[in-house]
Structures are given as structure tokens and as C-alpha cells.
Amino acid sequence: MNDAEAIAYLKAAAGRGYKLGLERVTELIKRLGNPQKQMQIIHIAGTNGKGSVGAMLASVLQAAGYKTGHFASPALCSPHEYFRIGGKTASPQQFAQTLTTVQEQAEQMSDLPTEFEIIAAAAYQMFAAEHCEYAVIECCMGGDSDCTNIIEKPLLSIITNVRKDHCAYLGNTLQEIAAHKAGVIKPNRPVLAGCRNKAVLNVIRDTAKKLHSPLYQPDETLEITNMTPEGTDCISREYGALRLGLSGAYQPENAATVLKAISMLREQGVQIPENAVRYGLAECRWAARMEVLHRNPYVIFDGAHNPDGMQKAAETLKHCFGANHSLTFVIGVMADKEYEQYPALLSQLAAKIYTITPDNPRALDANKLANVFSSAGIPADACKSVEDAVHAALDTGNNVVGLGSLYYYCAFRNAAENLIKEGS
């Protein structure tokens, strides 16, 4: 297959829907020769934070001189983005070659694998073929039945935090969801819990105890000294002043998890010098996490897709711009999120809000979302398209922030880039 054919193959596999269970991906990975056994794996589960934690950890390992693969979902603009090697997105050639190999085995199976089972198997296959020494692998959803969870002996398992999300699959209580996330814990292998909720920690602790897996938590809380849209400065007890390339009120908490993970990796013999920690954290970039797309005025996108993420985004924006009703927002969300909480979180920041309907069957209608904000006294208009919303937002002359579902990130970014180019 060439690149276009590989992309079409994945789209066709998406029509098979989502199926629980590891039987298909286990068979597929076995047919491929168990490529996951050819590298050391850090496996990450969690509701929020796993993307940033994974990106920072992969960046540090790469800075330490290790060839590192990083698998994360969703892919924002292209399926190539599921796979990163050395911080770079997989090339069309790497993608096509890997999908060809996976397809040859997948199509021989009596129970054909789903889209994400194919993608997960492709990650292990690609990283093995590229001779990655380490792979940072993020769960797509949940943990125990997640398509990535075919690792027998991870170097380290990390659970960033647990919030209510994907309730139709994972349960309606934090304890139920935590039980799924704890499925990444493996017998006699260390686990790092970056969450603080006591009920959640009890579930993780019980699972770790049953599996004789040593449980760790971050040792410190990083203090923010300065924050701009360009990054976060903070103080660490161990390292002193640290620069994070990622901006966000939530990033010091994620970085504390990463610092503990680094300490745990060092205890297992992984050589990670201090300069690699500093460089890796400072140079880390992660799309759609307070990502600066343009300056003067700022155009920023953050994939805050649930109340916890929206609260942290609001805190970050207050740090950077103040609580003075100076920002124009473009917002689109899924209908199954608790979006009724968003007006209270954004009321001190918003001068104007433009709502859109993301291109997804689960999307909330833009008119309904606009009414939620208008009813709370925040000026809000529904737009027919993302381009219309970005155009209207830029016309206000304010700094512009896109928030909500990652499903419209690509359309937002493209619209902003095209409109700004036209106006320059």
C-alpha cells in the first residue's frame, strides 16, 4: 500500500466500530512476531494529563540520547500523528510500510481487528522496525481492555489522574473508572500514580497490592514562578528553577509526575543526566495543549474537553492574560460532556464567545452551546463553520482562544493560518 491506500484502509477499519476485549489485538500482535518485546515500554493511562506527561517523558528520553517512540491519540490532522519517533511524526513512507505489514496479518484473522487495534499494533511494529530503545505508549481509552494493553512487563506504568470520561464504556463513578485505568498495572512491575483523589488512589493501591507491584507517587509539588503562553517557569525542590516548554496551570503537576518517573527509571538503570531533564522539559511541545498558533494577537488552542480540563485552561488563561473579560473564544464540545459548567469557569475571561459544531456524530449543536453561555450573561453567537467562527473572532481584535474538542482542532488551526495569511 502507498500512503493514501494505508489511510483508506484505516478508514475502512473504522467502520467495524469499537469492540471491547484484547483477543483480536493479542492475536494480531502475535502474528506480527510480538514486536512490543523488542523495546522497553512506559505505559500511561489517565483521563487528563497523559498526553503532556507522555510528551515530556519522551522528550527527556530523547534528550538523554535514546531513540524513543511515542504513541498517542487522537491523531489531530493526520493518522501519521499517532506515531512519533525522536519527536518527529512518522513519515508517509514509514506509515505506509507499517500499515502494509499489519494489514497482511490482520486480514487473515477470522475476527477482523478494529481501527484502534490496528493502530496500536502498528505502533509496536513501527517502533520495533525503527529500532527504538524505549517507547512511551498512551492508552487510547481506559486501561484493562485498551488496545495498547498487551504489554507483559512494562518498565513502568503511569496513571496520571482519573476523571469522569467515556462513562458509557468505563462506568459512572470514579472508582469504576479507576478500576479500568488500574488495568495497566502488571505483576511485580512498578506503577506511578499522579492522581490525588483518595477514592481513586485506594482502587489503584488495592490493585497494586494484589499484583505485588510497588506503588509510587510524585515526591513534590512544583511552584509556578511565571507563566506566559510560551511556557511555564517553576521551582523544583530537587532541580531548582525549571523551564517547561508547555504552558498551563496543570503542567507543573504533570512535570512532577515526570520527575518522579525519571527517578524511578534511574533506579532501574536508565541513564538520564540532569541536563537531559532540563533540555527535554524546556524543549517539549505538544499540539493542542495551550498551543500558540500565532502571536500579536495571540491565537491559542487548548483541547480542554471536560470540566477538569476547562477549569485548568481557565486558570492558565488568568495567569497569562488576567481575569478582565479580554479574550474571544471559539468553543465546540461533545454532547456527552458536562458543558453546563463552562460558563462559570469562563465568565471572568470572555469578552465574546463563538460556538461551533465539531465534525463528529457526538457533537453538541452550536446553537445549544451558545444558548448555554448567553443564558449565563456571556455574549455568544453560534457559527455555521469553524472558519466563520475564527474569522469573527479575529475581527474582534482580541487575543483568540479555541477551546473544547480535539475533533475540530485541525479545522481551527487551518482556518487561523489561512485567515492570518490573507490578512498579512
Side-chain angles (χ1 to χ4, degrees), residues 345-393:
L345 297 173
L346 301 178
S347 61
Q348 295 180 318
L349 295 160
K352 179 75 175 185
I353 291 178
Y354 295 97
T355 62
I356 58 95
T357 307
D359 185 16
N360 186 278
R362 295 190 292 112
L364 180 69
D365 181 74
N367 290 289
K368 186 171 183 179
L369 183 58
N371 289 335
V372 170
F373 286 108
S374 298
S375 298
I378 302 174
D381 290 335
C383 295
K384 292 182 179 179
S385 70
V386 175
E387 186 173 37
D388 287 347
V390 175
H391 192 287

mmCIF file of all heavy atoms in Angstrom, residues 345-393:
data_model
loop_
_atom_site.group_PDB
_atom_site.id
_atom_site.type_symbol
_atom_site.label_atom_id
_atom_site.label_comp_id
_atom_site.label_asym_id
_atom_site.label_seq_id
_atom_site.Cartn_x
_atom_site.Cartn_y
_atom_site.Cartn_z
ATOM 1 N N LEU A 345 -16.845 28.936 34.563
ATOM 2 C CA LEU A 345 -15.392 28.874 34.504
ATOM 3 C C LEU A 345 -14.800 29.968 33.621
ATOM 4 O O LEU A 345 -13.674 30.423 33.851
ATOM 5 C CB LEU A 345 -14.950 27.498 33.982
ATOM 6 C CG LEU A 345 -15.329 26.302 34.854
ATOM 7 C CD1 LEU A 345 -14.998 24.995 34.141
ATOM 8 C CD2 LEU A 345 -14.617 26.363 36.194
ATOM 9 N N LEU A 346 -15.556 30.414 32.613
ATOM 10 C CA LEU A 346 -15.024 31.368 31.640
ATOM 11 C C LEU A 346 -15.583 32.777 31.799
ATOM 12 O O LEU A 346 -15.198 33.688 31.056
ATOM 13 C CB LEU A 346 -15.316 30.873 30.220
ATOM 14 C CG LEU A 346 -14.731 29.504 29.845
ATOM 15 C CD1 LEU A 346 -15.133 29.129 28.426
ATOM 16 C CD2 LEU A 346 -13.213 29.504 29.980
ATOM 17 N N SER A 347 -16.465 32.979 32.770
ATOM 18 C CA SER A 347 -17.180 34.260 32.875
ATOM 19 C C SER A 347 -16.250 35.452 33.086
ATOM 20 O O SER A 347 -16.536 36.558 32.618
ATOM 21 C CB SER A 347 -18.201 34.191 34.017
ATOM 22 O OG SER A 347 -17.550 33.946 35.253
ATOM 23 N N GLN A 348 -15.125 35.276 33.790
ATOM 24 C CA GLN A 348 -14.216 36.399 34.054
ATOM 25 C C GLN A 348 -13.254 36.659 32.900
ATOM 26 O O GLN A 348 -12.560 37.669 32.878
ATOM 27 C CB GLN A 348 -13.405 36.130 35.324
ATOM 28 C CG GLN A 348 -14.238 36.074 36.590
ATOM 29 C CD GLN A 348 -13.380 35.800 37.817
ATOM 30 O OE1 GLN A 348 -12.480 34.968 37.784
ATOM 31 N NE2 GLN A 348 -13.654 36.514 38.897
ATOM 32 N N LEU A 349 -13.223 35.762 31.940
ATOM 33 C CA LEU A 349 -12.255 35.847 30.849
ATOM 34 C C LEU A 349 -12.855 36.317 29.537
ATOM 35 O O LEU A 349 -12.206 37.010 28.756
ATOM 36 C CB LEU A 349 -11.613 34.475 30.624
ATOM 37 C CG LEU A 349 -10.750 33.916 31.752
ATOM 38 C CD1 LEU A 349 -10.591 32.413 31.604
ATOM 39 C CD2 LEU A 349 -9.388 34.600 31.737
ATOM 40 N N ALA A 350 -14.112 35.953 29.295
ATOM 41 C CA ALA A 350 -14.693 36.083 27.958
ATOM 42 C C ALA A 350 -15.263 37.473 27.688
ATOM 43 O O ALA A 350 -16.096 37.973 28.444
ATOM 44 C CB ALA A 350 -15.765 35.031 27.755
ATOM 45 N N ALA A 351 -14.802 38.067 26.576
ATOM 46 C CA ALA A 351 -15.472 39.244 26.037
ATOM 47 C C ALA A 351 -16.559 38.813 25.064
ATOM 48 O O ALA A 351 -17.614 39.440 24.965
ATOM 49 C CB ALA A 351 -14.464 40.148 25.339
ATOM 50 N N LYS A 352 -16.292 37.712 24.365
ATOM 51 C CA LYS A 352 -17.219 37.193 23.371
ATOM 52 C C LYS A 352 -16.909 35.727 23.126
ATOM 53 O O LYS A 352 -15.749 35.304 23.185
ATOM 54 C CB LYS A 352 -17.064 37.982 22.060
ATOM 55 C CG LYS A 352 -17.946 37.534 20.916
ATOM 56 C CD LYS A 352 -19.382 37.980 21.106
ATOM 57 C CE LYS A 352 -20.240 37.623 19.887
ATOM 58 N NZ LYS A 352 -21.611 38.149 19.980
ATOM 59 N N ILE A 353 -17.958 34.950 22.844
ATOM 60 C CA ILE A 353 -17.779 33.533 22.535
ATOM 61 C C ILE A 353 -18.498 33.200 21.228
ATOM 62 O O ILE A 353 -19.652 33.596 21.022
ATOM 63 C CB ILE A 353 -18.320 32.638 23.666
ATOM 64 C CG1 ILE A 353 -17.426 32.768 24.912
ATOM 65 C CG2 ILE A 353 -18.385 31.170 23.225
ATOM 66 C CD1 ILE A 353 -17.891 31.976 26.099
ATOM 67 N N TYR A 354 -17.789 32.507 20.351
ATOM 68 C CA TYR A 354 -18.380 31.972 19.134
ATOM 69 C C TYR A 354 -18.377 30.447 19.244
ATOM 70 O O TYR A 354 -17.339 29.846 19.519
ATOM 71 C CB TYR A 354 -17.593 32.415 17.902
ATOM 72 C CG TYR A 354 -17.656 33.906 17.676
ATOM 73 C CD1 TYR A 354 -16.629 34.740 18.113
ATOM 74 C CD2 TYR A 354 -18.763 34.490 17.058
ATOM 75 C CE1 TYR A 354 -16.683 36.110 17.932
ATOM 76 C CE2 TYR A 354 -18.830 35.867 16.870
ATOM 77 C CZ TYR A 354 -17.791 36.670 17.315
ATOM 78 O OH TYR A 354 -17.863 38.040 17.130
ATOM 79 N N THR A 355 -19.527 29.848 19.051
ATOM 80 C CA THR A 355 -19.636 28.395 19.194
ATOM 81 C C THR A 355 -19.728 27.735 17.820
ATOM 82 O O THR A 355 -20.242 28.316 16.861
ATOM 83 C CB THR A 355 -20.864 28.006 20.030
ATOM 84 O OG1 THR A 355 -22.059 28.448 19.374
ATOM 85 C CG2 THR A 355 -20.788 28.639 21.415
ATOM 86 N N ILE A 356 -19.213 26.505 17.763
ATOM 87 C CA ILE A 356 -19.267 25.732 16.517
ATOM 88 C C ILE A 356 -19.704 24.299 16.846
ATOM 89 O O ILE A 356 -19.661 23.874 18.003
ATOM 90 C CB ILE A 356 -17.905 25.720 15.792
ATOM 91 C CG1 ILE A 356 -16.781 25.147 16.681
ATOM 92 C CG2 ILE A 356 -17.540 27.117 15.342
ATOM 93 C CD1 ILE A 356 -16.493 23.708 16.509
ATOM 94 N N THR A 357 -20.117 23.585 15.814
ATOM 95 C CA THR A 357 -20.457 22.166 15.951
ATOM 96 C C THR A 357 -19.316 21.342 15.379
ATOM 97 O O THR A 357 -19.122 21.325 14.158
ATOM 98 C CB THR A 357 -21.755 21.833 15.193
ATOM 99 O OG1 THR A 357 -22.793 22.724 15.602
ATOM 100 C CG2 THR A 357 -22.175 20.392 15.452
ATOM 101 N N PRO A 358 -18.520 20.673 16.210
ATOM 102 C CA PRO A 358 -17.418 19.858 15.680
ATOM 103 C C PRO A 358 -17.936 18.769 14.740
ATOM 104 O O PRO A 358 -19.079 18.323 14.843
ATOM 105 C CB PRO A 358 -16.800 19.241 16.947
ATOM 106 C CG PRO A 358 -17.162 20.189 18.039
ATOM 107 C CD PRO A 358 -18.532 20.689 17.689
ATOM 108 N N ASP A 359 -17.092 18.360 13.824
ATOM 109 C CA ASP A 359 -17.454 17.342 12.835
ATOM 110 C C ASP A 359 -17.359 15.957 13.463
ATOM 111 O O ASP A 359 -16.383 15.225 13.267
ATOM 112 C CB ASP A 359 -16.533 17.447 11.616
ATOM 113 C CG ASP A 359 -16.931 16.485 10.502
ATOM 114 O OD1 ASP A 359 -18.066 15.966 10.551
ATOM 115 O OD2 ASP A 359 -16.111 16.257 9.594
ATOM 116 N N ASN A 360 -18.368 15.621 14.231
ATOM 117 C CA ASN A 360 -18.412 14.329 14.911
ATOM 118 C C ASN A 360 -19.860 14.023 15.266
ATOM 119 O O ASN A 360 -20.607 14.926 15.674
ATOM 120 C CB ASN A 360 -17.544 14.372 16.174
ATOM 121 C CG ASN A 360 -17.434 13.021 16.849
ATOM 122 O OD1 ASN A 360 -18.309 12.604 17.602
ATOM 123 N ND2 ASN A 360 -16.338 12.319 16.581
ATOM 124 N N PRO A 361 -20.297 12.768 15.140
ATOM 125 C CA PRO A 361 -21.690 12.434 15.457
ATOM 126 C C PRO A 361 -22.088 12.763 16.895
ATOM 127 O O PRO A 361 -23.274 12.974 17.183
ATOM 128 C CB PRO A 361 -21.748 10.915 15.206
ATOM 129 C CG PRO A 361 -20.637 10.637 14.257
ATOM 130 C CD PRO A 361 -19.553 11.602 14.610
ATOM 131 N N ARG A 362 -21.123 12.803 17.812
ATOM 132 C CA ARG A 362 -21.423 13.083 19.215
ATOM 133 C C ARG A 362 -21.408 14.572 19.549
ATOM 134 O O ARG A 362 -21.579 14.958 20.696
ATOM 135 C CB ARG A 362 -20.423 12.356 20.122
ATOM 136 C CG ARG A 362 -20.487 10.852 20.062
ATOM 137 C CD ARG A 362 -19.638 10.216 21.152
ATOM 138 N NE ARG A 362 -18.215 10.426 20.970
ATOM 139 C CZ ARG A 362 -17.450 11.178 21.749
ATOM 140 N NH1 ARG A 362 -17.971 11.820 22.775
ATOM 141 N NH2 ARG A 362 -16.154 11.305 21.505
ATOM 142 N N ALA A 363 -21.203 15.418 18.549
ATOM 143 C CA ALA A 363 -21.014 16.846 18.801
ATOM 144 C C ALA A 363 -22.292 17.517 19.295
ATOM 145 O O ALA A 363 -23.405 17.173 18.885
ATOM 146 C CB ALA A 363 -20.527 17.527 17.533
ATOM 147 N N LEU A 364 -22.118 18.488 20.176
ATOM 148 C CA LEU A 364 -23.223 19.332 20.633
ATOM 149 C C LEU A 364 -23.476 20.415 19.598
ATOM 150 O O LEU A 364 -22.538 21.034 19.084
ATOM 151 C CB LEU A 364 -22.871 19.965 21.985
ATOM 152 C CG LEU A 364 -23.936 20.881 22.604
ATOM 153 C CD1 LEU A 364 -25.145 20.066 23.051
ATOM 154 C CD2 LEU A 364 -23.351 21.668 23.772
ATOM 155 N N ASP A 365 -24.746 20.671 19.304
ATOM 156 C CA ASP A 365 -25.108 21.693 18.333
ATOM 157 C C ASP A 365 -24.637 23.067 18.804
ATOM 158 O O ASP A 365 -24.782 23.437 19.974
ATOM 159 C CB ASP A 365 -26.618 21.707 18.128
ATOM 160 C CG ASP A 365 -27.049 22.743 17.118
ATOM 161 O OD1 ASP A 365 -26.846 22.536 15.914
ATOM 162 O OD2 ASP A 365 -27.574 23.797 17.558
ATOM 163 N N ALA A 366 -24.085 23.840 17.881
ATOM 164 C CA ALA A 366 -23.535 25.157 18.218
ATOM 165 C C ALA A 366 -24.585 26.088 18.815
ATOM 166 O O ALA A 366 -24.282 26.877 19.726
ATOM 167 C CB ALA A 366 -22.919 25.785 16.972
ATOM 168 N N ASN A 367 -25.804 26.014 18.327
ATOM 169 C CA ASN A 367 -26.862 26.881 18.853
ATOM 170 C C ASN A 367 -27.169 26.573 20.314
ATOM 171 O O ASN A 367 -27.351 27.478 21.129
ATOM 172 C CB ASN A 367 -28.129 26.733 18.001
ATOM 173 C CG ASN A 367 -27.975 27.333 16.624
ATOM 174 O OD1 ASN A 367 -27.929 28.548 16.464
ATOM 175 N ND2 ASN A 367 -27.877 26.472 15.618
ATOM 176 N N LYS A 368 -27.198 25.292 20.645
ATOM 177 C CA LYS A 368 -27.469 24.915 22.025
ATOM 178 C C LYS A 368 -26.352 25.378 22.951
ATOM 179 O O LYS A 368 -26.606 25.874 24.054
ATOM 180 C CB LYS A 368 -27.638 23.388 22.127
ATOM 181 C CG LYS A 368 -28.078 22.920 23.505
ATOM 182 C CD LYS A 368 -28.450 21.436 23.491
ATOM 183 C CE LYS A 368 -28.958 21.002 24.865
ATOM 184 N NZ LYS A 368 -29.355 19.559 24.848
ATOM 185 N N LEU A 369 -25.119 25.246 22.507
ATOM 186 C CA LEU A 369 -23.996 25.684 23.323
ATOM 187 C C LEU A 369 -23.999 27.202 23.482
ATOM 188 O O LEU A 369 -23.735 27.717 24.582
ATOM 189 C CB LEU A 369 -22.683 25.217 22.699
ATOM 190 C CG LEU A 369 -21.398 25.544 23.476
ATOM 191 C CD1 LEU A 369 -21.448 24.939 24.879
ATOM 192 C CD2 LEU A 369 -20.171 25.039 22.727
ATOM 193 N N ALA A 370 -24.304 27.940 22.411
ATOM 194 C CA ALA A 370 -24.375 29.401 22.502
ATOM 195 C C ALA A 370 -25.434 29.829 23.507
ATOM 196 O O ALA A 370 -25.233 30.776 24.283
ATOM 197 C CB ALA A 370 -24.660 29.994 21.129
ATOM 198 N N ASN A 371 -26.560 29.131 23.525
ATOM 199 C CA ASN A 371 -27.627 29.462 24.479
ATOM 200 C C ASN A 371 -27.188 29.241 25.916
ATOM 201 O O ASN A 371 -27.596 29.982 26.819
ATOM 202 C CB ASN A 371 -28.875 28.623 24.180
ATOM 203 C CG ASN A 371 -29.575 29.043 22.911
ATOM 204 O OD1 ASN A 371 -29.446 30.194 22.481
ATOM 205 N ND2 ASN A 371 -30.321 28.139 22.300
ATOM 206 N N VAL A 372 -26.355 28.230 26.144
ATOM 207 C CA VAL A 372 -25.849 27.969 27.492
ATOM 208 C C VAL A 372 -25.041 29.168 27.990
ATOM 209 O O VAL A 372 -25.187 29.611 29.133
ATOM 210 C CB VAL A 372 -24.989 26.684 27.508
ATOM 211 C CG1 VAL A 372 -24.256 26.534 28.842
ATOM 212 C CG2 VAL A 372 -25.857 25.456 27.259
ATOM 213 N N PHE A 373 -24.188 29.711 27.129
ATOM 214 C CA PHE A 373 -23.379 30.871 27.520
ATOM 215 C C PHE A 373 -24.226 32.144 27.612
ATOM 216 O O PHE A 373 -24.082 32.936 28.545
ATOM 217 C CB PHE A 373 -22.230 31.068 26.535
ATOM 218 C CG PHE A 373 -21.128 30.057 26.685
ATOM 219 C CD1 PHE A 373 -20.933 29.064 25.745
ATOM 220 C CD2 PHE A 373 -20.284 30.094 27.781
ATOM 221 C CE1 PHE A 373 -19.921 28.129 25.890
ATOM 222 C CE2 PHE A 373 -19.263 29.165 27.940
ATOM 223 C CZ PHE A 373 -19.085 28.184 26.985
ATOM 224 N N SER A 374 -25.118 32.353 26.627
ATOM 225 C CA SER A 374 -25.962 33.548 26.639
ATOM 226 C C SER A 374 -26.840 33.600 27.877
ATOM 227 O O SER A 374 -27.030 34.664 28.483
ATOM 228 C CB SER A 374 -26.828 33.589 25.380
ATOM 229 O OG SER A 374 -26.044 33.674 24.218
ATOM 230 N N SER A 375 -27.368 32.461 28.273
ATOM 231 C CA SER A 375 -28.223 32.400 29.461
ATOM 232 C C SER A 375 -27.462 32.771 30.728
ATOM 233 O O SER A 375 -28.057 33.181 31.725
ATOM 234 C CB SER A 375 -28.815 31.000 29.609
ATOM 235 O OG SER A 375 -29.624 30.673 28.498
ATOM 236 N N ALA A 376 -26.143 32.611 30.695
ATOM 237 C CA ALA A 376 -25.301 32.967 31.839
ATOM 238 C C ALA A 376 -24.780 34.400 31.738
ATOM 239 O O ALA A 376 -23.946 34.823 32.551
ATOM 240 C CB ALA A 376 -24.134 32.000 31.949
ATOM 241 N N GLY A 377 -25.250 35.146 30.733
ATOM 242 C CA GLY A 377 -24.859 36.539 30.600
ATOM 243 C C GLY A 377 -23.583 36.775 29.822
ATOM 244 O O GLY A 377 -23.031 37.880 29.843
ATOM 245 N N ILE A 378 -23.085 35.750 29.118
ATOM 246 C CA ILE A 378 -21.868 35.887 28.320
ATOM 247 C C ILE A 378 -22.271 36.027 26.850
ATOM 248 O O ILE A 378 -22.949 35.144 26.316
ATOM 249 C CB ILE A 378 -20.953 34.667 28.496
ATOM 250 C CG1 ILE A 378 -20.575 34.476 29.973
ATOM 251 C CG2 ILE A 378 -19.689 34.822 27.650
ATOM 252 C CD1 ILE A 378 -19.788 33.218 30.251
ATOM 253 N N PRO A 379 -21.870 37.110 26.166
ATOM 254 C CA PRO A 379 -22.231 37.269 24.756
ATOM 255 C C PRO A 379 -21.732 36.088 23.923
ATOM 256 O O PRO A 379 -20.539 35.773 23.940
ATOM 257 C CB PRO A 379 -21.519 38.565 24.352
ATOM 258 C CG PRO A 379 -21.297 39.298 25.635
ATOM 259 C CD PRO A 379 -21.070 38.237 26.674
ATOM 260 N N ALA A 380 -22.634 35.438 23.218
ATOM 261 C CA ALA A 380 -22.265 34.243 22.459
ATOM 262 C C ALA A 380 -23.106 34.133 21.200
ATOM 263 O O ALA A 380 -24.319 34.356 21.227
ATOM 264 C CB ALA A 380 -22.440 32.993 23.320
ATOM 265 N N ASP A 381 -22.448 33.801 20.096
ATOM 266 C CA ASP A 381 -23.128 33.583 18.825
ATOM 267 C C ASP A 381 -22.727 32.225 18.272
ATOM 268 O O ASP A 381 -21.561 31.819 18.363
ATOM 269 C CB ASP A 381 -22.731 34.650 17.799
ATOM 270 C CG ASP A 381 -23.284 36.025 18.129
ATOM 271 O OD1 ASP A 381 -24.311 36.093 18.821
ATOM 272 O OD2 ASP A 381 -22.667 37.022 17.704
ATOM 273 N N ALA A 382 -23.689 31.532 17.680
ATOM 274 C CA ALA A 382 -23.403 30.265 17.011
ATOM 275 C C ALA A 382 -22.977 30.528 15.579
ATOM 276 O O ALA A 382 -23.526 31.414 14.913
ATOM 277 C CB ALA A 382 -24.632 29.364 17.038
ATOM 278 N N CYS A 383 -21.998 29.772 15.100
ATOM 279 C CA CYS A 383 -21.492 29.937 13.735
ATOM 280 C C CYS A 383 -21.717 28.655 12.944
ATOM 281 O O CYS A 383 -21.728 27.550 13.504
ATOM 282 C CB CYS A 383 -20.003 30.277 13.757
ATOM 283 S SG CYS A 383 -19.640 31.874 14.527
ATOM 284 N N LYS A 384 -21.854 28.816 11.641
ATOM 285 C CA LYS A 384 -22.130 27.672 10.790
ATOM 286 C C LYS A 384 -20.884 26.818 10.534
ATOM 287 O O LYS A 384 -21.005 25.638 10.222
ATOM 288 C CB LYS A 384 -22.704 28.148 9.450
ATOM 289 C CG LYS A 384 -24.094 28.761 9.571
ATOM 290 C CD LYS A 384 -24.631 29.161 8.203
ATOM 291 C CE LYS A 384 -26.035 29.753 8.307
ATOM 292 N NZ LYS A 384 -26.561 30.161 6.976
ATOM 293 N N SER A 385 -19.728 27.429 10.647
ATOM 294 C CA SER A 385 -18.494 26.695 10.374
ATOM 295 C C SER A 385 -17.382 27.187 11.283
ATOM 296 O O SER A 385 -17.463 28.278 11.864
ATOM 297 C CB SER A 385 -18.069 26.863 8.910
ATOM 298 O OG SER A 385 -17.619 28.198 8.679
ATOM 299 N N VAL A 386 -16.331 26.386 11.382
ATOM 300 C CA VAL A 386 -15.165 26.787 12.175
ATOM 301 C C VAL A 386 -14.517 28.010 11.547
ATOM 302 O O VAL A 386 -14.107 28.940 12.248
ATOM 303 C CB VAL A 386 -14.154 25.619 12.269
ATOM 304 C CG1 VAL A 386 -12.889 26.063 12.991
ATOM 305 C CG2 VAL A 386 -14.777 24.422 12.990
ATOM 306 N N GLU A 387 -14.441 28.046 10.222
ATOM 307 C CA GLU A 387 -13.827 29.183 9.543
ATOM 308 C C GLU A 387 -14.585 30.474 9.843
ATOM 309 O O GLU A 387 -13.978 31.521 10.104
ATOM 310 C CB GLU A 387 -13.767 28.947 8.045
ATOM 311 C CG GLU A 387 -12.989 30.047 7.302
ATOM 312 C CD GLU A 387 -12.780 29.719 5.839
ATOM 313 O OE1 GLU A 387 -13.704 29.133 5.243
ATOM 314 O OE2 GLU A 387 -11.704 30.040 5.306
ATOM 315 N N ASP A 388 -15.916 30.399 9.824
ATOM 316 C CA ASP A 388 -16.717 31.583 10.151
ATOM 317 C C ASP A 388 -16.438 32.053 11.572
ATOM 318 O O ASP A 388 -16.334 33.257 11.845
ATOM 319 C CB ASP A 388 -18.207 31.274 10.004
ATOM 320 C CG ASP A 388 -18.654 31.148 8.552
ATOM 321 O OD1 ASP A 388 -17.863 31.532 7.663
ATOM 322 O OD2 ASP A 388 -19.772 30.655 8.323
ATOM 323 N N ALA A 389 -16.330 31.102 12.496
ATOM 324 C CA ALA A 389 -16.096 31.447 13.895
ATOM 325 C C ALA A 389 -14.728 32.083 14.089
ATOM 326 O O ALA A 389 -14.593 33.095 14.803
ATOM 327 C CB ALA A 389 -16.231 30.195 14.771
ATOM 328 N N VAL A 390 -13.706 31.515 13.470
ATOM 329 C CA VAL A 390 -12.355 32.070 13.604
ATOM 330 C C VAL A 390 -12.280 33.449 12.960
ATOM 331 O O VAL A 390 -11.650 34.377 13.506
ATOM 332 C CB VAL A 390 -11.318 31.111 12.992
ATOM 333 C CG1 VAL A 390 -9.927 31.746 13.015
ATOM 334 C CG2 VAL A 390 -11.304 29.786 13.740
ATOM 335 N N HIS A 391 -12.941 33.615 11.825
ATOM 336 C CA HIS A 391 -12.969 34.913 11.154
ATOM 337 C C HIS A 391 -13.604 35.959 12.059
ATOM 338 O O HIS A 391 -13.054 37.069 12.240
ATOM 339 C CB HIS A 391 -13.743 34.795 9.835
ATOM 340 C CG HIS A 391 -13.606 35.985 8.930
ATOM 341 N ND1 HIS A 391 -14.220 37.195 9.187
ATOM 342 C CD2 HIS A 391 -12.916 36.163 7.768
ATOM 343 C CE1 HIS A 391 -13.926 38.058 8.226
ATOM 344 N NE2 HIS A 391 -13.129 37.460 7.362
ATOM 345 N N ALA A 392 -14.754 35.639 12.635
ATOM 346 C CA ALA A 392 -15.438 36.579 13.527
ATOM 347 C C ALA A 392 -14.603 36.880 14.761
ATOM 348 O O ALA A 392 -14.535 38.027 15.230
ATOM 349 C CB ALA A 392 -16.792 36.013 13.930
ATOM 350 N N ALA A 393 -13.937 35.842 15.290
ATOM 351 C CA ALA A 393 -13.117 36.026 16.484
ATOM 352 C C ALA A 393 -11.933 36.947 16.205
ATOM 353 O O ALA A 393 -11.621 37.851 16.992
ATOM 354 C CB ALA A 393 -12.632 34.675 16.991
#
